[in-house]
Structure formats: structure tokens, C-alpha cells
């Protein structure tokens, strides 16, 4: 018997990624590895508090995970599904239209 697809969970994942700043944060994490908020602030160009709010939404959706090291919290992409999705979206091949 075929396994049922949980469309609600998949839609929540897409909603979490459906903001330019969150999309940029996740892409940057994949391109540059585990990073802290201070590094993200320099790369994304918005305040730490704004980045933290976006990271909270990404954490709640299971897109990123966090690990504390001393006073710093480091973030990384938490799911291979997200990695594959981002790879498809961000690749030049992902820009090809299917007719």
C-alpha cells in the first residue's frame, strides 16, 4: 500500500521558506556551513534581532537546528529534504520551465 503524503507538513515547510530573508539565510547556511547570528548579520545586512526572529520561524518549522557553544549559538540546515529542495531551487537547472 502506498504511503500517504502529508501535504500540511510540506506546505508548512514551504511557508517557512517563503520569505526572501529566510530563503537567503538557509541558502547561506548551505553554502557556508554552520554559522552564528553575528556572521549572518554581516552577510544578510539586517539586524541581529530581525535575523533571530526569522531563525525562530525556521527552527519551529524544522528547517534549521541550533547548537550552543559557549556564548554563541550556531545554526545549520536540519533536514536533507530542505537541502534537496534548496539545491533544486537555487540551481540554474531549477530555472528551466517544464511545458
Amino acid at each position: 500500500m502506498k504511503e500517504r503524503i502529508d501535504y500540511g507538513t510540506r506546505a508548512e515547510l514551504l511557508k517557512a521558506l517563503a520569505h526572501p530573508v529566510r530563503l537567503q539565510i538557509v541558502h547561506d547556511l548551505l553554502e557556508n556551513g554552520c554559522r552564528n547570528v553575528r556572521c549572518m548579520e554581516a552577510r544578510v545586512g539586517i539586524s541581529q534581532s530581525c535575523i533571530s526572529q526569522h531563525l525562530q520561524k525556521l527552527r519551529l518549522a524544522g528547517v534549521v537546528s541550533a547548537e550552543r557553544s559557549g556564548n554563541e549559538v550556531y545554526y545549520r540546515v536540519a533536514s536533507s529534504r530542505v537541502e534537496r529542495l534548496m539545491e533544486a531551487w537555487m540551481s540554474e537547472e531549477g530555472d528551466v520551465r517544464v511545458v
Side-chain angles (χ1 to χ4, degrees):
M1 190 160 113
K2 193 171 183 177
E3 188 176 321
R4 294 187 65 162
I5 296 171
D6 184 350
Y7 291 103
T9 300
R10 292 182 185 203
E12 289 300 318
L13 171 64
L14 292 175
K15 283 195 313 189
L17 292 170
H19 188 283
V21 172
R22 291 193 292 271
L23 196 57
Q24 184 177 0
I25 288 170
V26 174
H27 186 237
D28 192 53
L29 286 171
L30 289 169
E31 292 290 310
N32 298 300
C34 188
R35 304 188 55 87
N36 62 26
V37 174
R38 187 173 54 230
C39 294
M40 290 180 208
E41 180 182 26
R43 293 188 59 82
V44 177
I46 60 174
S47 70
Q48 280 186 327
S49 63
C50 188
I51 289 172
S52 293
Q53 289 174 5
H54 285 292
L55 285 167
Q56 177 67 11
K57 289 182 180 182
L58 291 169
R59 284 180 72 185
L60 288 172
V63 175
V64 299
S65 61
E67 185 176 310
R68 182 171 290 282
S69 177
N71 291 333
E72 297 289 334
V73 178
Y74 292 92
Y75 294 88
R76 66 181 48 152
V77 174
S79 161
S80 60
R81 174 178 279 167
V82 172
E83 289 181 34
R84 291 189 308 271
L85 181 61
M86 290 296 292
E87 184 178 309
W89 274 352
M90 297 301 167
S91 72
E92 290 183 28
E93 292 176 19
D95 293 338
V96 175
R97 284 187 166 176
V98 176
V99 180

